[in-house]
Amino acid sequence: MTMQAMIDEWYPVGLFSQLDQAGRTTTLMEEPIIVACDADGHAKVTSGNGRTLPVLVRYGHVWSSLGEPRKELFPIPEADQPGRRFVDVGCVRVRCSPLRAVENFLDIAHFPFVHTDILGAEPHTEVQNYKVEIREDVDEVWATQVKFYQPLAAKSASGGITTEYMYRVPAPTCSVLYKTCPPRPSEWDVITLFVQPLAEDLCDVWPWMALFDDVTSMTDLIHFQQTIFLQDRSILENQIPRLLPLDPGMEIPTRADLTSVAYRRWLKRHNYTYGAQLVAQ
Amino acid sequence: MKLYDYILSPSCYKVRLMAALTGVKLELRPVDFHPGAEHRGPELLALNPAGSIPILEDGDLLLTESSAILVYLAAQAAPEWLAGSKPEEAARVQQWLSFSGRLTASLGGARLHEMLLRPGDIGALQAQGIAALRELEAGLFEQAQRGKRFLAADRPTVADIACFPYVALAPDGGVSLDPYPTIRLWSRAVRALEGFIEMPGIHRLHELKPEPTVETGDA
């Protein structure tokens, strides 16, 4: 494990809508931090020893870093698109590696078995061929042309549809999913997983969404996504080894795991190994 | 019948499960428990000053205790889920209904702490949860010795539904169910009931699917 490569990244540390002046104590990569706002409502993040940390507010969340971020936070242009509804799903703690939380988000093959009758159903278990690449210009992992039969793809879907997905990993503990938007076929729904690494084997997960859906209540949208994520949580907490293996000797991927293979390769290339296991044990 | 409901609440799930098992139709009114804390807002506090869910509304009747709601649903639609006339069975149903409150306080508290970051003494909550699970394991084992698969009888009662969700979700709070074989058999029996529904963290019984046909060769 080395923290160095990942220390300069931005991480979600709280919901902007829930900031108060008293502040909330949380943890970022094992260091206690306090997330608060000042009298003018600006977010501020302080480390345990009183150091003021970098801060920005984007996509409903407060972001911070223990190091010195050299890049802007990754763009999500849809976050500025009129007509979308932005959903703060709220934080769920998971006793797993932050990298494993992202990898699970990228996986399609588990849908029929873990999200039965929602994101998948037997016998529609086949993962069709899809494309995966590491886009060098933006330095992101992308999976495109992912198609899967889903009985209840979104709160706005009525009945089963074949849903198309694109996955994107723009930061080591963040993923953005673009998904068929049932009420507006020309657009993509955006569903993100922002992961706050508390330790190598513990994380707070902050899902967030930018959807076209004028019908469903905000509470129903939150509950739909919480249902999905809580179905994953018990699986994530039982994965062994707890850290994400980057040693190819440890696990044998199949074709359905192409996104995961690219994600692991990309992590390794950048030395993004906080929460990873480098040598199979 | 209107249920103020949260999809991740085991106590709300008790009511949804009971309704599904007895064929009662519920109107669900989702409550933004997390992150919105709507159960602590003025509208819901006016219904239930305790600030908890589930809340069941049926005409003039307003119920805020999950065990009372289970009894009400069973009495309406499926009285066989209530205690029979035998004093011992009636007492056992009451015993486990009350006991279920301990599961909520201990295992439920540990789950809220570990999952949704609610404050609490996690070590104490887990220890109390383990003590309750040991008591449940012993109770179920004694029932098995009497030839009974469920907590109060050889048929499921409201007591089983009151205890099942927090037990099944114990691992969410960092409490393993591995040491309790009788609880696991009981959990399987509950999940095998006709009309059973799941909630996030409680999976259906995939293993009850039909066995694949095995071709017998000539050798």
Side-chain angles (χ1 to χ4, degrees), chain A residues 15 18 24 88-93 95 113 116-117 122 204 219-220 222-223 226-227 230-231 233-234 237, chain B residues 5-8 30-36 38 111 114-117 171-172 198 200-201 203-204 206 209:
Chain A
L15 278 179
Q18 295 200 335
R24 188 177 78 94
D88 295 342
V89 178
C91 172
V92 177
R93 178 159 297 176
R95 197 159 287 284
F113 310 104
T116 313
D117 297 340
E122 292 176 82
D204 280 351
T219 300
D220 279 333
I222 292 170
H223 288 184
Q226 287 184 348
T227 297
L230 267 292
Q231 289 175 334
R233 184 177 180 272
S234 58
E237 295 205 333
Chain B
D5 180 47
Y6 178 43
I7 186 73
L8 301 184
V31 174
D32 182 8
F33 179 93
H34 176 78
E38 190 188 357
R111 178 171 176 270
E114 292 295 274
M115 202 167 92
L116 303 183
L117 321 188
D172 276 353
E198 55 212 339
H203 302 279
R204 72 180 72 175
H206 285 282
K209 284 183 157 300

Side-chain angles (χ1 to χ4, degrees), chain A residues 217-263:
Chain A
S217 78
M218 188 58 93
T219 300
D220 279 333
L221 294 173
I222 292 170
H223 288 184
F224 184 79
Q225 200 55 25
Q226 287 184 348
T227 297
I228 304 295
F229 189 66
L230 267 292
Q231 289 175 334
D232 287 315
R233 184 177 180 272
S234 58
I235 308 291
L236 280 168
E237 295 205 333
N238 284 292
Q239 288 180 336
I240 295 171
R242 301 187 71 87
L243 303 182
L244 182 73
L246 294 185
D247 182 340
M250 187 68 193
E251 289 182 330
I252 299 168
T254 69
R255 278 198 68 77
D257 303 321
L258 279 180
T259 319
S260 162
V261 171
Y263 174 55

